[in-house]
Amino acid sequence: MGIQLFSSLKPREEVAVVSTKQDETGAPVERVSPLGYDVGWMGILFLNVSEMIGTGIFSTPGTILSLVGSVGISLMYWLIGVVIAAAGLAIYMELGSMFPNRSGAEVVYLEQAYPRPKYFFPAAFAVFSVLLSFASSNAIVLGQYLYSAGGVTPSDWQTKGLAVAGMSVVIFISLISNKFALRVSNVIAAAKLITLTFVAITGLVVLGGHTKIKNPRANFHHIWDGSASNGNAYANALVKINFSFSGYTNAFNVMAEIKDPVRKMNTAAPVSLAIVSVLYNLANVAYLAAIPKEEMAGSEQLTAAVFFQKVFGHSAGAKVLPALVAISAFGNLLSDTIAGSRVIRECARQGILPYPALWSSTRPFGTPLAPLMLKYGLTVLVILACPTGDAFNFVVDLQSYPYQLFALACTVGVFILRRRRRKQGITRVEFEVWNVAAIFSILVNIFLLVMPWYPPEGGADGGDVSFWYATYCVVGLGILGACGVYYVLWVMVLPYFGKYQIRQEVIKLPDGARTHHLVKVPNTELAEWDAIHDEEGNIIQQEGDPGVDDEPEKIDMRNAVTL
């Protein structure tokens, strides 16, 4: 039985049959994963941990304190971040329990919650998840901190060169073996936990008065003094808190590679969030114990560096911490690449991308070769083509806003799927999020969509770019609008004038992969096509057809799917 988290979780002995029925228009279910089953309980935990613990906890606490103004509200905000993350995780746990044999997370949940208009959501999400799948920000951070740990001040191109080299290592690891990539990711995630645990324990030692820090409890007197009165500051702080916790759903991207996925996910995912939440809050207490309030508020992106300098001296803050942050950035890069390649592959299996067999294949190494190379190519392109500063910050920001729209759609999709499944007679699930938590998550998503439109303190040009601060929001919505125009042309206008209809067929590859392929069927041949294909796109086997196996397929029931 999994851990209860904003849910009414039924004991396993009470769950007779867990139906994973999906809409026929969705990508075909792979009863046996061609990527293998290398993700276990620890893999789930560490994939989430590695994605959550990045550079945020080492840099944002000072910024959040400067925004909210008081120690009390700063600490309260980190607790609010735990509640927001827990509600969001519960949403994904229910969605995952509905479709446990599908990787790709949002790809699947949007596809299933919004099957009409046909292909629209898959096409729109494919544009964002494929074209904006680069991981350039983590790669740049990796390069910057590696140089910092070595005491070198690099040029822009030196930083970019090291960033490309780091991404190349990540792709090589991910390409040669899924098992090896996951093991490396697990080791780095463990190192992150050890680092953050060390910070937390050090903070407790400082509070006990066993270091050179004088009056370590000074910041904890009159904790509400200085509280900000600016609404935009509080909104900004909440966005940064939410960013620090992002990554708690990372393992859902590889769910089809987990044996007995629902049970393991229901246990490991909440544990990963619980561990990180405790360490985050203890780390903030540690920072406040060692750094005077005014100095911490002014530390900007260097909060952890100041902490190390205060407790261990300048050399630790200048060299040890950058090395730890570089390791953390590399872990983020690897876990994001592992999960992101599955997202691209799942988009392709819907038939949306050209040459779906190429993107879906796991040959020759048993890894998603084409998705990995696409992610590598886009990341290197953004690193090399975008100068540091405005262009780079804009491209990175462009990833965030459209994703928030899809996150809201996924959350609303829980209620849509529940209603549809009840009509189909499906009433049993192994995990069900409380309605109040789901509604809370919807409100948070709406807030995070509205907040970026409010001007920062510096006015229209006060964002992280020199031009209008909300340009990335407009461009993101513009891309979504362009997807709508393309959809109308692709699905309605061109078929009307071309006198054909779009249909899907299922392709089975030698490695066991299954994918949809969209084809144009002339109107004159439409009746014949529909007569010999079911809605999913399989050829309907007629009695006595040659090539039909009489012996039923042997399936591991822990991973079986009821279609």
Side-chain angles (χ1 to χ4, degrees):
M1 183 175 69
I3 292 177
Q4 291 199 21
L5 177 69
F6 291 133
S7 71
S8 52
L9 186 62
K10 303 174 179 64
R12 288 180 60 78
E13 60 269 17
E14 294 181 9
V15 181
V17 176
V18 180
S19 175
T20 57
K21 178 178 174 59
Q22 68 167 39
D23 189 274
E24 290 82 356
T25 60
V29 173
E30 295 170 323
R31 290 177 177 267
V32 178
S33 172
L35 292 166
Y37 296 96
D38 297 314
V39 183
W41 193 91
M42 295 298 289
I44 297 170
L45 189 147
F46 282 135
L47 277 171
N48 286 349
V49 164
S50 191
E51 191 72 7
M52 279 187 281
I53 303 178
T55 58
I57 189 58
F58 300 115
S59 59
T60 57
T63 303
I64 289 168
L65 178 60
S66 69
L67 286 169
V68 300
S70 70
V71 169
I73 294 180
S74 174
L75 292 174
M76 185 177 69
Y77 255 52
W78 285 95
L79 293 174
I80 291 173
V82 175
V83 177
I84 292 173
L89 176 58
I91 291 287
Y92 277 71
M93 288 171 68
E94 178 168 349
L95 290 168
S97 71
M98 293 179 184
F99 311 104
N101 291 75
R102 295 284 305 277
S103 292
E106 292 91 349
V107 180
V108 181
Y109 310 147
L110 291 169
E111 165 201 280
Q112 293 300 308
Y114 307 97
R116 305 290 184 273
K118 197 171 184 179
Y119 305 129
F120 175 72
F121 268 89
F125 192 77
V127 169
F128 285 107
S129 59
V130 175
L131 295 183
L132 302 180
S133 63
F134 47 84
S136 48
S137 57
N138 270 330
I140 289 290
V141 168
L142 173 63
Q144 290 172 334
Y145 277 92
L146 282 176
Y147 275 118
S148 179
V152 177
T153 302
S155 66
D156 268 0
W157 281 104
Q158 286 175 321
T159 299
K160 290 183 176 187
L162 196 52
V164 171
M167 186 63 188
S168 300
V169 173
V170 165
I171 288 295
F172 178 76
I173 292 172
S174 304
L175 189 61
I176 59 174
S177 168
N178 290 324
K179 182 178 290 187
F180 179 65
L182 287 164
R183 285 179 177 175
V184 173
S185 178
N186 291 350
V187 169
I188 295 176
K192 292 184 182 188
L193 285 178
I194 292 171
T195 299
L196 207 53
T197 301
F198 176 74
V199 171
I201 293 174
T202 301
L204 296 177
V205 173
V206 171
L207 277 177
H210 303 296
T211 66
K212 62 182 180 181
I213 303 297
K214 295 179 180 179
N215 196 10
R217 302 184 185 183
N219 285 335
F220 300 98
H221 301 305
H222 311 293
I223 60 173
W224 307 107
D225 287 356
S227 297
S229 57
N230 182 280
N232 179 267
Y234 286 111
N236 248 327
L238 191 60
V239 171
K240 294 185 184 303
I241 287 286
N242 190 64
F243 170 78
S244 295
F245 279 94
S246 63
Y248 53 83
T249 61
N250 194 40
F252 288 88
N253 289 308
V254 297
M255 199 157 182
E257 299 168 51
I258 306 170
K259 289 184 178 179
D260 198 6
V262 176
R263 182 178 65 85
K264 289 180 180 176
M265 190 69 77
N266 285 350
T267 304
V271 168
S272 67
L273 179 58
I275 292 172
V276 171
S277 298
V278 170
L279 291 177
Y280 272 11
N281 282 279
L282 288 177
N284 274 276
V285 171
Y287 296 150
L288 289 165
I291 310 172
K293 175 185 171 182
E294 292 73 17
E295 189 174 349
M296 180 172 166
S299 64
E300 297 182 344
Q301 305 300 313
L302 302 173
T303 306
V306 175
F307 170 79
F308 272 72
Q309 290 173 9
K310 293 287 185 183
V311 179
F312 302 108
H314 180 76
S315 61
K319 295 190 176 181
V320 176
L321 181 68
L324 296 175
V325 174
I327 292 172
S328 182
F330 185 84
N332 271 84
L333 202 56
L334 181 57
S335 63
D336 178 70
T337 298
I338 292 171
S341 63
R342 274 58 171 181
V343 171
I344 296 173
R345 181 177 184 271
E346 205 64 25
C347 286
R349 292 200 324 107
Q350 295 171 325
I352 300 301
L353 301 183
Y355 310 109
L358 171 67
W359 300 104
S360 304
S361 174
T362 61
R363 291 188 170 185
F365 306 114
T367 56
L369 172 62
L372 284 170
M373 296 312 297
L374 175 64
K375 192 169 184 69
Y376 177 69
L378 288 172
T379 299
V380 170
L381 177 64
V382 172
I383 290 172
L384 298 179
C386 291
T388 54
D390 283 356
F392 186 83
N393 291 335
F394 171 75
V395 171
V396 172
D397 288 343
L398 184 60
Q399 290 176 299
S400 62
Y401 195 77
Y403 177 79
Q404 202 61 52
L405 281 168
F406 290 119
L408 173 62
C410 278
T411 308
V412 174
V414 167
F415 294 101
I416 296 173
L417 285 166
R418 282 181 185 175
R419 184 170 179 269
R420 186 181 305 145
R421 288 161 69 88
R422 279 197 298 270
K423 288 183 177 179
Q424 295 170 342
I426 304 171
T427 58
R428 298 287 186 104
V429 291
E430 286 195 72
F431 191 96
E432 187 171 302
V433 62
W434 287 346
N435 287 337
V436 65
I439 293 171
F440 172 71
S441 190
I442 289 173
L443 294 175
V444 170
N445 281 316
I446 292 174
F447 174 82
L448 294 174
L449 283 169
V450 172
M451 183 270 156
W453 295 93
Y454 280 84
E457 290 186 10
D461 298 328
D464 60 356
V465 293
S466 60
F467 42 87
W468 187 46
Y469 64 94
T471 302
Y472 72 96
C473 300
V474 175
V475 174
L477 292 175
I479 294 175
L480 188 60
C483 288
V485 173
Y486 173 76
Y487 175 81
V488 171
L489 290 172
W490 173 49
V491 176
M492 299 178 183
V493 176
L494 292 180
Y496 176 80
F497 287 103
K499 301 185 184 306
Y500 65 85
Q501 294 292 320
I502 295 176
R503 291 290 189 267
Q504 61 189 23
E505 61 178 349
V506 176
I507 299 175
K508 299 178 183 179
L509 304 180
D511 59 356
R514 302 176 78 231
T515 180
H516 274 151
H517 177 231
L518 302 186
V519 296
K520 299 176 182 178
V521 181
N523 290 339
T524 55
E525 302 174 14
L526 201 59
E528 180 183 355
W529 173 278
D530 290 340
I532 62 174
H533 292 82
D534 60 21
E535 188 173 357
E536 188 183 15
N538 296 295
I539 295 178
I540 300 173
Q541 299 285 0
Q542 304 295 327
E543 186 176 352
D545 279 353
V548 179
D549 295 330
D550 294 327
E551 183 180 351
E553 182 181 5
K554 295 179 180 178
I555 300 171
D556 184 345
M557 291 309 295
R558 291 176 300 178
N559 305 293
V561 180
T562 303
L563 296 176

